[in-house]
Amino acid sequence: MVYINRAAEAVAARISDTFPVLVVTGARQVGKSTMLQHLAGDDRTVVSLDDPNARALARTDPGLFLQRYTPPVLIDEIQYAPQLLPLIKLAVDRSGEMGQFWLTGSQSFHLMRDVSESLAGRVGIVRLVGLSSAEISDVTSTPFSPEQASLVARAAQVPKLGLMDVYQRIATGSMPRLWEEPRVDRETYYRSYVATYLQRDLRDLAQVADETIFLTFMTAVAARTACPLNMDEMARDVGVSAPTIKRWLSILVSSGIVTLIQPYHNNVLTRMTKMPVMHMLDTGLAAYLTHWTTAETIERGAMAGQFFESYVVAQIYASYANAGLEPPLFYYRDKEKREIDVLILRDGVIHPVEIKKSAAPGKQALTNFRVLNPLTTPSAGESHLKVRVGAGGVVCMADDVLPIDATNSLIPAWLI
């Protein structure tokens, strides 16, 4: 099996050099332990708490466990034995050495609560997402910027993908196993993935009594990828209460399966919606749950635009996460239903991005960008709310980077 180099390796190595404890968190099977084992080589003891014997020892006698597995050590699935964390704190305080403990965990909500309580100030955290298109193509990953100079420079490095190449990546998804070993059947893989998630993680996170209902909920989420979140509507379709939908959705978010892109808020802009937009970060999982089986049927199907939009958002999201940054992503929608799919806010500059499956969207795709104009010239009493609107564009199926006007470009989807 071929190892695919991960963009987050540099961030993980830097954190290990500057913190006693490195924690890598993310969805199940995104490659956390594989990446760390690759970085560790033969210089670090590796133990997984998936092993029932190791897990039992860690829970019943954590002191003896740390005597048996001495640092430098990689402890996989640390959420199964939070009893270790106070002793890890004592160990790193005594030694003062950096990078002694590498920890991974899939259940981010409980894991991060326990880590923040026990290892505050001693831990650096990497949030690993599934494979990005840049990692699959083995090119450098950098935080996405719609500045034209950045786009042109990147176009010289990234291999071009045609329409069906992009949809093949959408259909396959971002799980490393499917790209490292092409013989693995996608349908079988995701069926096993969902069963594992339902049977293992949910038992600890949500105590769901009926796994079939939760699977119905996950399918409803997948069917609404790239759509504004309406919990009441989803509750009616799934047959549970809106508070239950909210609680279950928080589990998908904390597990790294879903991200919610929040609406941009600025008092200069009025009449804005408050609903976030929901995206499944793994389009392959979304396709499996909604019963789309091939790239060809997805591209021709009713959800083609939704899958394309979630794919692009996931790539932009990953470009920031892989650099160790919180993805600065928002969106715009107002009561007149004017929308901008993605707003990237960095250093007081907002970059508007539309996402269209078309190969040549034209200037009309920029029409809604003008709703941001009041941000650049707020009234005298709101001058502190001033934001500069920077370069933007339309991510689409264009063959190359092309200027639309002085500040906006057609951005090929293969470039993200």
Side-chain angles (χ1 to χ4, degrees):
M1 187 172 67
V2 177
Y3 174 76
I4 296 175
N5 294 316
R6 304 306 302 268
E9 288 175 16
V11 177
R14 184 171 70 246
I15 287 175
S16 185
D17 287 340
T18 52
F19 286 87
V21 182
L22 163 67
V23 172
V24 178
T25 184
R28 184 170 291 280
Q29 297 183 31
V30 294
K32 301 179 294 295
S33 57
T34 302
M35 181 185 76
L36 291 183
Q37 287 178 35
H38 175 76
L39 289 175
D42 298 324
D43 299 330
R44 186 173 293 263
T45 303
V46 177
V47 57
S48 175
L49 297 184
D50 272 332
D51 180 338
N53 293 323
R55 183 166 64 246
L57 178 61
R59 287 175 171 175
T60 59
D61 197 338
L64 183 60
F65 178 94
L66 292 181
Q67 289 181 41
R68 168 65 180 82
Y69 301 104
T70 56
V73 62
L74 163 57
I75 304 175
D76 198 20
E77 303 293 2
I78 187 65
Q79 76 275 0
Y80 291 135
Q83 298 90 338
L84 291 172
L85 295 175
L87 295 185
I88 290 174
K89 173 187 173 182
L90 293 175
V92 299
D93 285 350
R94 281 196 302 266
S95 73
E97 296 184 40
M98 301 296 107
Q100 289 296 289
F101 290 89
W102 290 1
L103 313 176
T104 77
S106 300
Q107 299 174 6
S108 298
F109 178 77
H110 288 167
L111 173 63
M112 299 319 299
R113 181 195 63 194
D114 294 335
V115 164
S116 63
E117 290 175 354
S118 301
L119 297 173
R122 301 165 180 83
V123 61
I125 299 165
V126 174
R127 182 175 53 191
L128 192 65
V129 295
L131 286 175
S132 67
S133 187
E135 290 170 316
I136 293 168
S137 297
D138 194 24
V139 297
T140 302
S141 176
T142 56
F144 171 73
S145 169
E147 297 281 355
Q148 192 167 96
S150 173
L151 296 172
V152 171
R154 187 159 181 78
Q157 305 169 4
V158 180
K160 290 187 177 183
L161 300 175
L163 177 66
M164 293 317 302
D165 296 320
V166 170
Y167 271 88
Q168 188 59 57
R169 294 196 174 184
I170 289 172
T172 304
S174 61
M175 293 299 176
R177 173 74 171 158
L178 293 171
W179 292 98
E180 293 169 344
E181 181 47 83
R183 293 176 299 175
V184 174
D185 179 70
R186 166 191 171 275
E187 193 83 2
T188 302
Y189 176 86
Y190 279 114
R191 182 167 60 249
S192 300
Y193 182 90
V194 171
T196 300
Y197 180 71
L198 290 173
Q199 294 167 9
R200 297 181 61 181
D201 291 352
L202 284 183
R203 185 170 59 241
D204 295 329
L205 285 172
Q207 293 81 48
V208 173
D210 189 338
E211 292 176 357
T212 302
I213 295 178
F214 194 88
L215 180 57
T216 301
F217 160 71
M218 288 184 66
T219 302
V221 170
R224 291 167 172 79
T225 191
C227 295
L229 173 61
N230 187 323
M231 293 192 190
D232 291 329
E233 177 188 88
M234 197 180 302
R236 287 193 300 270
D237 289 351
V238 177
V240 297
S241 67
T244 297
I245 293 292
K246 183 177 181 180
R247 179 165 58 88
W248 286 357
L249 188 62
S250 72
I251 292 170
L252 294 187
V253 172
S254 68
S255 297
I257 291 174
V258 166
T259 188
L260 299 178
I261 304 300
Q262 298 296 331
Y264 177 69
H265 177 73
N266 188 304
N267 288 339
V268 173
L269 302 178
T270 60
R271 302 179 63 79
M272 294 184 297
T273 184
K274 296 182 179 179
M275 292 188 297
V277 170
M278 180 170 58
H279 291 278
M280 291 200 82
L281 289 173
D282 190 303
T283 52
L285 176 59
Y288 166 77
L289 288 168
T290 51
H291 309 293
W292 296 95
T293 60
T294 67
E296 290 75 17
T297 56
I298 293 172
E299 191 276 326
R300 294 195 302 265
M303 292 185 64
Q306 288 174 247
F307 280 120
F308 185 75
E309 183 175 337
S310 283
Y311 170 79
V312 171
V313 169
Q315 299 308 312
I316 297 174
Y317 184 99
S319 75
Y320 285 92
N322 286 334
L325 303 173
E326 184 67 27
L329 308 184
F330 302 87
Y331 88 105
Y332 178 91
R333 179 183 171 93
D334 60 26
K335 294 181 181 179
E336 284 74 40
K337 297 185 178 181
R338 295 174 297 186
E339 297 185 25
I340 302 173
D341 293 324
V342 177
L343 299 174
I344 303 171
L345 179 61
R346 297 192 75 186
D347 300 320
V349 180
I350 198 161
H351 301 274
V353 176
E354 272 293 296
I355 302 170
K356 303 289 185 186
K357 184 189 170 191
S358 169
K363 282 191 175 183
Q364 67 271 18
L366 306 179
T367 300
N368 290 337
F369 287 10
R370 70 185 67 167
V371 302
L372 301 176
N373 290 342
L375 293 174
T376 64
T377 55
S379 62
E382 297 178 320
S383 58
H384 61 289
L385 299 175
K386 182 177 180 179
V387 176
R388 185 165 71 86
V389 178
V394 185
V395 178
C396 58
M397 286 307 306
D399 288 332
D400 210 340
V401 179
L402 296 170
I404 303 175
D405 58 25
T407 56
N408 298 291
S409 307
L410 292 182
I411 303 169
W414 51 262
L415 197 61
I416 307 297

